[in-house]
Amino acid sequence: MVASSLSGTFRALRAPGLRAVLLLSWVPAALFVWPEALAAPLASSMGGGPMLVALLLTAGPVGTVVGEVAAGALLDAEGRRRWMLPLAFVAFLPMTLFVLEPGPAVAVAVLALGALGWGYTLALDALLLAEAPEETRGRVFSLGSAGLMISQGAGFALAGAMAEFLPAHLVVALAGVGGAVSVAVFGRRFVGRRGGRTAI
């Protein structure tokens, strides 16, 4: 069973289109969680207490839910594909404002508004379905979910490690830059895409 699972994983990662979708899902997700991982030190640096920690922790998830619901309700499948990369950039570029060491209200607002861009993942789900061979779709979707959880866990650990050497607000700003770069690198395959498996 283990050998079969590993074999399926390697086959999935060898397919260029499928690999690009998985990386566009995993790598940005690993960086997106950095503000949550550093909520306590961020709040402390702003002079806040447990309430600010709670607000920083909930800003991203609340914005994510609103963004996904809005993308699902306001955009059709083609619109979600067209807006996938712009929304992904929206998720990360506001984080770069943390380089200015914002106050509590601005920090919470920036995280909530940026998280609206997480609606881009709806298009990723459709791309994953399109790229996965029919006979291995179940395995590919399991791989996608497992990889997402692992990448987010690794993101928490990496954020904490970075915060040992840099102020928390600068670490969040770096996550914004890194997230935008990862979207540009792994998303370039899907620029101008109009469905199907052909990428431009």
Side-chain angles (χ1 to χ4, degrees), residues 71 74-84 87 123:
L74 300 177
L75 300 172
D76 59 13
E78 182 58 36
R80 288 193 289 271
R81 282 193 294 270
R82 188 181 307 115
W83 281 95
M84 180 180 72
L87 285 174

Side-chain angles (χ1 to χ4, degrees), residues 158-175:
L158 184 56
M162 293 284 289
E164 292 288 334
F165 304 99
L166 294 172
H169 70 279
L170 289 183
V171 177
V172 173
L174 286 175

Side-chain angles (χ1 to χ4, degrees), residues 4-128:
S4 176
S5 178
L6 290 174
S7 175
T9 298
F10 291 139
R11 283 200 304 272
L13 292 176
R14 280 197 299 266
L18 188 53
R19 183 172 63 245
V21 176
L22 291 172
L23 289 174
L24 188 56
S25 173
W26 295 343
V27 178
L31 294 161
F32 185 72
V33 299
W34 284 25
E36 291 180 50
L38 300 177
L42 280 173
S44 178
S45 69
M46 297 175 193
M51 178 59 73
L52 182 54
V53 174
L55 290 173
L56 291 170
L57 283 171
T58 57
V62 169
T64 297
V65 171
V66 173
E68 290 181 344
V69 170
L74 300 177
L75 300 172
D76 59 13
E78 182 58 36
R80 288 193 289 271
R81 282 193 294 270
R82 188 181 307 115
W83 281 95
M84 180 180 72
L85 295 183
L87 285 174
F89 282 115
V90 166
F92 289 101
L93 291 178
M95 284 188 199
T96 61
L97 295 176
F98 272 80
V99 74
L100 303 176
E101 201 168 358
V106 174
V108 172
V110 164
L111 293 178
L113 291 174
L116 296 174
W118 210 246
Y120 92 94
T121 57
L122 297 184
L124 271 183
D125 291 340
L127 285 174
L128 188 61

